[in-house]
Amino acid sequence: LTLTIDATKATGKVSPLHYGLMTEEINYSYDGGLYAELVRNRAFLNDPQKPAHWTAVGGANLTLATERPVNDALPKSLKIECATPGAGAANDGYWGFPITPNTTYTATLFARGDVGGLTLTLQSRDGKTVYAQTRLPAVGEGWTKRTATLKTGKATPTTDAVFAITAEKPGTLWLSLVSLFPPTWNNRPNGFRKDLMQLLVDLKPAFLRFPGGNYLEGNTIAERFDWKKTIGPIETRPGHPCPWGYRSTDGMGLLEFLLWCEDMGAEPVLGVYAGYSLRGEFIKPGPELEPYIQDALDEIEYVTGSVSTKWGAQRAKDGHPKPFKLQYVEVGNEDFFDRSGSYDGRFAQFYDAIKAKYPHLKVVSTVGNEQPASKRVKSRKPDALDEHYYRKAADFIRDSPTHFDRYDRTGPEIFVGEWAAHEEVAPWLPPSRNLPATPSMKAALGDAAFMTAMERHADFVTMQCYAPLFVNINPGGRQWRPDLIGYDALKAYGAPSYYALKLFSTSVGDELLKVSLAGAPLLASVTRQSKTGKILVKYVNPGDTPQAVTIQLPGVRSIKPDATVITLAAPPDETNSMEKPTHVAPKTTKLSGVKPEFAYTFPPFSITLLTLEAR
Ligand code: AHR
């Protein structure tokens, strides 16, 4: 096999936003995931019949109460009738609570009643081990908001814990919005889990597509991501049912998404609700759609407006006076599923309104070239098309050598806003439920093959992001596989696909170099860092035999004899798990004797990054 790299001239510029992340509330990605809140059903709204995830302590009687709510966003409270001192209620968290040594947890709650002081305890499920405890002074007749900290000592890390709130003396206690946070990334109040943020930051994402996905649309119009209900103090956010079968607290609201971007050094790619929800409810184009258009304009103003604008001022009030950078706004999600045939008209109305107020913004259509022409937007020329690819690894491997060759490079930019390889069984088929949530090396090889295709065309494939990003691996925590990062309350790990993505996203140049492969289908991409001259060669060998390749750089007179090689290689069935988090992980080696023509043998089932330095 001969791999030829033309380093004499660049064929294009790599989009600086090429590698990013996509996110939505699915698989307990935020609640029970990135959003560091530890109390599950903190507002007692998850189940209208009973206080789900709360159990009685010391023989207390627990009921849901509606009388004297804290406010409209918190219509329910937990009524705890305590017959003895030490009675109360305990929360079981998102499959337990993460106990780590010497850790300070911050508790906040609303309480009223006649039970004297309250004791807050992080303890083992059987109540025998107390990990951390604190006491709150007595509350009275009216609602009082209280905050306290609990600190663990020399605890052994575990998820075997509950959070108990108990009364000093008999009586009745009402609780509302009970919250407990561990330390968060950058110490942000209402912030994010540190270990998950570290895994994301390590990918160096250039953008974050949010808030969905299906989560943007909701099952019904009433259940869409209604951004205005997701800002301000958490006690004023009512939360809403998410289309993946559970209720979202909306603790991860619009500002939190933006702070998440800021904390990763990424820029937002904002999905705005476009008048269509998953079960087919829609708003027809025309005057009835106007309030939704206005909502989108207001949302853009919240993100980008100066403090002298209405929504920019609201953002400042919420704690972030500085506007955020925004270049792309996506209108809806997967509107090729729109059974009403209204997308062309809805898109046009959003497009015109956004362009009129924000001419510099790029407006993205959710119907790409992979969809039938009849579904695509025709009345306007979108700036970019969002294409989604959930495919078998083998299909990505077969298609990637030529996939983007048939695209019109002068046409709209391509944003591959969701993609992932599965081993064999498609994510939406029931047998996929029996497979591990995170994929194996087999899928990673398909992912890497597709990434070579996207990267070779990274001048007009301006953005791309794997989906879904997160999964809580506990029973009932998953609605979709495969997912990139798995976790429980305490620990997290990346799938082989995570390491494949990291290998690609953290080592990319700003110039595209032409590459061709004689003797096999092309599963490689080459970029160059114009400042350093470094040539980054990514090569995928999905087969079970080594591939001996002659690598030629015609026109290059001299090359540094030492190169760095990063290899992710493992048999297809191998994978990572909570028990073996880095079983499949990249290894770095040095290669010597590199010349403008040299030989390299790529191992079976491997994804390789060769960093060469032309002189
Ligand atoms: O990524 C999972 C789902 O797949 C997304 O919510 C949706 O956009 C797509 O169908």
Side-chain angles (χ1 to χ4, degrees):
L1 304 179
T2 305
L3 187 79
T4 306
I5 300 164
D6 183 354
T8 57
K9 61 173 190 315
T11 56
K13 287 273 169 211
V14 175
S15 159
L17 291 185
H18 185 70
Y19 290 101
L21 299 175
M22 185 270 169
T23 169
E24 66 173 316
E25 183 58 284
I26 184 174
N27 302 324
Y28 292 85
S29 289
Y30 308 149
D31 293 345
L34 182 67
Y35 181 50
E37 173 65 82
L38 299 178
V39 175
R40 189 163 180 184
N41 194 16
R42 69 184 182 186
F44 310 104
L45 294 170
N46 285 16
D47 184 332
Q49 311 301 332
K50 58 180 190 304
H53 300 288
W54 290 88
T55 48
V57 175
N61 186 40
L62 308 188
T63 45
L64 288 176
T66 50
E67 70 273 11
R68 293 181 58 189
V70 173
N71 61 30
D72 290 348
L74 295 173
K76 297 260 173 82
S77 59
L78 180 65
K79 183 177 177 187
I80 310 171
E81 291 161 290
C82 308
T84 55
N91 186 263
D92 60 15
Y94 291 94
W95 295 274
F97 283 76
I99 301 298
T100 47
N102 305 316
T103 306
T104 302
Y105 301 78
T106 305
T108 312
L109 52 79
F110 288 78
R112 66 184 182 87
D114 56 3
V115 296
L118 303 178
T119 302
L120 313 186
T121 312
L122 273 168
Q123 62 192 43
S124 57
R125 286 191 185 102
D126 63 9
K128 288 185 182 154
T129 310
V130 170
Y131 299 112
Q133 196 167 59
T134 193
R135 194 179 171 278
L136 285 178
V139 291
E141 257 288 280
W143 286 111
T144 309
K145 185 178 180 181
R146 285 273 155 83
T147 299
T149 54
L150 294 83
K151 189 159 187 252
T152 55
K154 276 191 195 154
T156 307
T158 180
T159 59
D160 174 28
V162 297
F163 179 47
I165 299 156
T166 50
E168 192 175 50
K169 53 183 195 173
T172 306
L173 169 69
W174 284 265
L175 294 176
S176 192
L177 198 83
V178 182
S179 168
L180 185 72
F181 274 81
T184 57
W185 185 263
N186 283 347
N187 295 318
R188 287 196 190 279
N190 201 42
F192 318 122
R193 227 174 105 159
K194 286 177 156 191
D195 56 346
L196 295 179
M197 276 302 283
Q198 189 63 62
L199 283 163
L200 301 184
V201 167
D202 288 349
L203 292 171
K204 295 195 184 158
F207 71 88
L208 176 71
R209 174 183 176 229
F210 67 83
N214 290 357
Y215 184 58
L216 169 68
E217 301 169 85
N219 280 333
T220 60
I221 296 171
E223 293 180 4
R224 70 193 185 280
F225 183 81
D226 194 353
W227 74 270
K228 286 178 182 163
K229 294 183 181 159
T230 73
I231 55 171
I234 56 172
E235 58 265 32
T236 63
R237 303 182 194 181
H240 73 286
C242 105
W244 296 104
Y246 56 96
R247 195 179 168 84
S248 166
T249 61
D250 284 332
M252 281 288 298
L254 179 58
L255 184 61
E256 285 73 24
F257 284 111
L258 296 166
L259 295 172
W260 179 7
C261 292
E262 189 166 280
D263 283 353
M264 295 192 300
E267 71 175 65
V269 171
L270 181 68
V272 295
Y273 179 73
Y276 187 90
S277 291
L278 293 162
R279 290 189 185 148
E281 270 186 7
F282 74 105
I283 321 284
K284 63 177 191 313
E288 288 160 49
L289 194 58
E290 277 307 311
Y292 297 88
I293 307 254
Q294 191 56 50
D295 259 359
L297 295 176
D298 292 347
E299 191 172 7
I300 295 167
E301 188 172 286
Y302 186 91
V303 178
T304 64
S306 78
V307 293
S308 60
T309 64
K310 177 179 172 193
W311 290 102
Q314 180 64 47
R315 186 195 61 241
K317 192 170 162 220
D318 294 341
H320 202 285
K322 194 171 169 219
F324 294 88
K325 182 178 179 191
L326 180 72
Q327 299 188 73
Y328 289 86
V329 173
E330 178 160 12
V331 178
N333 176 59
E334 293 196 334
D335 288 85
F336 45 86
F337 284 127
D338 171 354
R339 296 190 291 274
S340 70
S342 63
Y343 189 55
D344 193 44
R346 289 186 290 111
F347 181 87
Q349 211 171 323
F350 275 89
Y351 180 97
D352 292 350
I354 294 169
K355 290 282 184 185
K357 189 156 183 210
Y358 301 101
H360 64 285
L361 285 181
K362 293 186 180 178
V363 183
V364 184
S365 156
T366 70
V367 185
N369 291 317
E370 87 290 19
Q371 298 298 332
S374 61
K375 305 245 176 197
R376 293 183 215 147
V377 167
K378 288 174 209 68
S379 61
R380 300 290 181 281
K381 186 176 178 197
D383 297 298
L385 307 178
D386 180 354
E387 303 194 342
H388 293 180
Y389 296 94
Y390 293 108
R391 288 186 164 180
K392 265 190 203 179
D395 292 341
F396 270 139
I397 289 165
R398 193 171 46 249
D399 185 38
S400 293
T402 56
H403 181 85
F404 291 104
D405 294 354
R406 52 186 179 265
Y407 278 58
D408 174 4
R409 299 177 81 90
T410 64
E413 294 171 22
I414 299 302
F415 170 26
V416 185
E418 294 179 27
W419 63 269
H422 46 267
E423 298 87 340
E424 291 296 331
V425 185
W428 45 88
L429 296 178
S432 80
R433 289 187 207 133
N434 302 324
L435 298 168
T438 51
S440 66
M441 183 67 190
K442 182 172 192 168
L445 289 162
D447 291 331
F450 191 46
M451 281 191 280
T452 63
M454 290 188 280
E455 195 181 88
R456 276 201 308 280
H457 300 278
D459 49 348
F460 76 96
V461 179
T462 46
M463 300 181 288
Q464 59 103 327
C465 41
Y466 185 102
L469 185 59
F470 284 139
V471 63
N472 188 312
I473 60 150
N474 280 290
R478 172 228 306 200
Q479 292 82 48
W480 184 285
R481 86 171 295 276
D483 308 295
L484 203 63
I485 294 171
Y487 46 84
D488 63 10
L490 193 61
K491 290 182 290 180
Y493 71 95
S497 299
Y498 170 87
Y499 290 103
L501 174 57
K502 189 174 168 191
L503 184 146
F504 274 73
S505 66
T506 57
S507 300
V508 60
D510 55 330
E511 294 178 339
L512 289 171
L513 296 186
K514 190 170 165 30
V515 58
S516 56
L517 182 66
L522 178 65
L523 295 176
S525 57
V526 184
T527 60
R528 177 168 59 197
Q529 290 171 348
S530 56
K531 273 202 190 124
T532 60
K534 280 188 183 163
I535 296 172
L536 305 155
V537 182
K538 289 154 182 164
Y539 189 99
V540 182
N541 176 9
D544 59 0
T545 51
Q547 285 189 349
V549 179
T550 302
I551 300 174
Q552 297 178 333
L553 292 106
V556 171
R557 269 202 236 117
S558 165
I559 204 157
K560 218 172 133 188
D562 300 317
T564 308
V565 186
I566 303 180
T567 311
L568 183 69
D573 290 340
E574 300 286 307
T575 195
N576 294 336
S577 62
M578 205 61 96
E579 292 72 37
K580 292 183 174 179
T582 52
H583 178 63
V584 180
K587 292 190 175 52
T588 303
T589 50
K590 290 277 173 212
L591 178 69
S592 51
V594 176
K595 291 184 278 193
E597 180 170 324
F598 67 103
Y600 189 77
T601 299
F602 293 93
F605 307 123
S606 67
I607 303 161
T608 305
L609 166 68
L610 285 171
T611 304
L612 313 175
E613 282 185 62
R615 294 191 293 200

